[in-house]
Amino acid sequence: MELDPRGVRFGATIGSIMFAVVLITGWAWPAVFQAVVFALTALSPGNGPYSHVFRKVLLPRLEPPAELEPAAPVRFAQTVGFAFAAVAAVGFFTDIPALGIIAAALGLMASFLNAAFGYCLGCTMYLLIRRLTT
């Protein structure tokens, strides 16, 4: 399976907004929501909630993508994002705000790098792990 990288960046943009909301408000529920989105997208990158919005709303207005990217690195990145969001939620729910803030800040950093610059930190980690294990 291959994905339109613009859809991945769209999802990263929304993820950045969600992590920013968590950091600004200290609420755990946006982190829970984002964790669920990450989990669903990790299971099927082309069928995540943000992917559906991208395909229905934005894709019809865009030219075809110049290239596609493989789904495996994106799936790994979504799993890493899930971990950040889940730890952030746990931190805020258990009155350990430092844990929630650190996890949400790391999630925001990774999402923002992808949204703003097209640099997928989780994808890079995936490729590095693949190189080291083969």
Side-chain angles (χ1 to χ4, degrees), residues 10 53-62:
F10 173 75
V53 173
F54 174 77
R55 275 197 313 276
K56 299 291 183 194
V57 177
L58 296 175
L59 191 59
R61 295 166 173 77
L62 299 173

Side-chain angles (χ1 to χ4, degrees), residues 11-28:
T13 301
I14 298 174
S16 296
I17 293 166
M18 295 302 290
F19 278 122
V21 168
V22 170
L23 287 169
I24 291 166
T25 64
W27 297 339

Side-chain angles (χ1 to χ4, degrees), residues 34-93:
Q34 188 59 41
V36 170
V37 169
F38 278 135
L40 293 171
T41 307
L43 291 172
S44 181
N47 290 314
Y50 300 155
S51 299
H52 283 291
V53 173
F54 174 77
R55 275 197 313 276
K56 299 291 183 194
V57 177
L58 296 175
L59 191 59
R61 295 166 173 77
L62 299 173
E63 297 288 325
E67 58 187 35
L68 299 174
E69 63 185 25
V74 174
R75 180 176 281 129
F76 179 81
Q78 295 294 309
T79 304
V80 172
F82 167 78
F84 285 135
V87 170
V90 167
F92 286 112
F93 276 131

Side-chain angles (χ1 to χ4, degrees), residues 73 76-77 119-131:
F76 179 81
Y119 181 75
C120 177
L121 190 59
C123 300
T124 302
M125 288 172 48
Y126 172 83
L127 295 173
L128 180 63
I129 291 168
R130 290 282 305 216
R131 282 189 197 128

